[in-house]
Amino acid sequence: QLQLQESGPGLVKPSETLSLTCTVSGGSISNSRYYWGWVRQPPGKGLEWIRSIYYSGSTFDNPSLKSRVTISVDTSKNQFSLKLNSVTAADTAVYYCARTDPAMPGEPFDSWGQGTLVTVSS
Amino acid sequence: QSVLTQPPSVSAAPGQKVTISCSGSNSNIGNNYVSWYRQLPGTAPRLLIYENNKRPSGIPDRFSGSKSGTSATLGITGLQAGDEADYYCGTWDSSLGSVFGGGTKLTVL
């Protein structure tokens, strides 16, 4: 059974870089059938997609975050990672990693990690 | 402000049926599949409906989805207390990428 697990610091200072990793188990991140992505949810608010990546490294971007986001895949570790730079309090959120199946725009996020809360504060 | 518009809240009694609407435009719902997610308090979203009206394995047929033009609807029949949750629609937008509705809180009276 596929499992996704987010990991990373729970507290980041303003203007610094938020870094998270999603470890995939029970399936291969190199499977060409899937996209892998990040979705966040500020406390008490709705879902916001950040970016998705294909195992080859090609990405789909949220235009509003694109300039601050880096996403990468490490197939040797079956992981993918998110970096969000120049963070502010508005970036405080629960960050989820998720899989899209099949790998086509408009297809759903069918598996989700449990989420990790990242707070931006000095 | 979400690209997709959902009612903030809906409510119904146990055993009844409820529908949740999701309104968009030709740049998103009008030309792409719609998915629906349920989020219980303190948990990750779970996929309920994909490709407008398909249910993943394990999702009971009490849950249904439909799409017409630039709007979509989630239906839940035989409401149970455990259905109290936030529900989100999602789709692809030609300019914005993957987008979600603002969410609808379902209260079972």
Side-chain angles (χ1 to χ4, degrees):
Chain A
Q1 181 176 345
L2 185 78
Q3 290 191 320
L4 295 84
Q5 178 68 57
E6 305 89 351
S7 59
L11 181 64
V12 181
K13 290 182 168 55
S15 79
E16 296 190 345
T17 297
L18 178 160
S19 296
L20 295 174
T21 296
C22 182
T23 300
V24 179
S25 58
S28 173
I29 202 168
S30 299
N31 190 321
S32 60
R33 180 180 172 87
Y34 310 121
Y35 289 148
W36 306 93
W38 292 92
V39 176
R40 70 180 182 178
Q41 185 173 34
K45 297 188 178 181
L47 303 169
E48 180 182 31
W49 170 69
I50 300 171
R51 181 176 278 189
S52 293
I53 189 167
Y54 198 47
Y55 78 99
S56 62
S58 60
T59 63
F60 292 92
D61 304 303
N62 179 332
S64 68
L65 295 169
K66 182 178 180 178
S67 63
R68 297 197 292 133
V69 172
T70 303
I71 187 172
S72 59
V73 170
D74 187 337
T75 55
S76 67
K77 295 181 179 179
N78 225 34
Q79 296 175 334
F80 62 105
S81 298
L82 170 73
K83 292 186 186 298
L84 177 65
N85 61 35
S86 304
V87 297
T88 69
D91 294 310
T92 294
V94 175
Y95 286 77
Y96 296 100
C97 57
R99 183 184 78 174
T100 295
D101 176 25
M104 293 181 61
E107 294 292 354
F109 297 99
D110 72 322
S111 294
W112 296 68
Q114 66 183 24
T116 186
L117 175 63
V118 179
T119 301
V120 178
S121 175
S122 56
Chain B
Q1 197 79 350
S2 300
V3 172
L4 306 179
T5 301
Q6 297 181 233
S9 63
V10 296
S11 62
Q16 296 298 303
K17 176 181 179 178
V18 70
T19 59
I20 299 173
S21 61
C22 177
S23 178
S25 68
N26 284 322
S27 65
N28 42 68
I29 291 178
N31 285 285
N32 291 286
Y33 288 130
V34 176
S35 303
W36 289 91
Y37 304 86
R38 178 168 78 173
Q39 186 176 35
L40 298 170
T43 69
R46 180 183 182 185
L47 180 64
L48 291 178
I49 298 289
Y50 69 101
E51 292 182 3
N52 303 332
N53 55 19
K54 298 178 182 177
R55 285 177 286 105
S57 173
I59 300 300
D61 59 7
R62 299 190 300 111
F63 296 89
S64 64
S66 64
K67 186 184 108 168
S68 179
T70 59
S71 293
T73 302
L74 173 70
I76 310 173
T77 60
L79 271 178
Q80 304 171 1
D83 293 327
E84 281 208 344
D86 294 324
Y87 292 80
Y88 293 91
C89 59
T91 188
W92 184 262
D93 184 279
S94 58
S95 298
L96 302 174
S98 189
V99 292
F100 295 97
T104 298
K105 181 176 181 59
L106 169 62
T107 300
V108 181
L109 300 172

